[in-house]
Amino acid sequence: MKLRIERQKFLKSWQLASRVNNGFLRIAGNVLEATDMKSSTKCVADGVDVLEDGVAVVPVNMLGSLLKKSESEELILDVNASRGLLKGTGNK
């Protein structure tokens, strides 16, 4: 899976999903699903351009921390079977 993310728009969607659940975030295209294994919330992710289809599951807090600390307004999230990489202009 490969996504181009507009950080400010995506951060608002992430915050909506993370308010309800603090466990894991499933990203499938432009749909976010946060779950703590007891309940889940789905929302449309603004600011996402799908470059390659796929699904990724990441800890909600970890992704939020990276988004908040990043100085880049455009990020690329690239996830394959063995690793995930979040790239921005000037930082990784």
Side-chain angles (χ1 to χ4, degrees):
M1 175 190 77
K2 192 170 189 177
L3 303 174
R4 180 181 300 122
I5 298 171
E6 291 178 50
R7 190 177 68 84
Q8 287 298 328
K9 288 182 181 180
F10 184 77
L11 192 54
K12 290 178 183 178
S13 299
W14 171 86
Q15 287 171 334
L16 176 63
S18 69
R19 277 188 203 136
V20 178
N21 290 297
N22 199 7
F24 294 93
L25 185 67
R26 178 179 181 266
I27 305 169
N30 66 343
V31 176
L32 301 179
E33 181 178 6
T35 183
D36 60 3
M37 302 305 186
K38 293 179 184 174
S39 62
S40 69
T41 290
K42 283 186 182 181
C43 66
V44 175
D46 288 330
V48 173
D49 184 22
V50 179
L51 303 175
E52 292 177 16
D53 288 333
V55 175
V57 177
V58 295
V60 169
N61 291 334
M62 181 198 68
L63 180 61
S65 177
L66 292 171
L67 290 171
K68 290 176 185 176
K69 290 178 183 177
S70 175
E71 296 175 1
S72 299
E73 284 306 314
E74 185 174 284
L75 304 165
I76 301 290
L77 177 61
D78 189 1
V79 178
N80 62 36
S82 62
R83 67 182 181 140
L85 182 65
L86 184 65
K87 293 190 279 188
T89 358
N91 56 28
K92 289 184 184 182

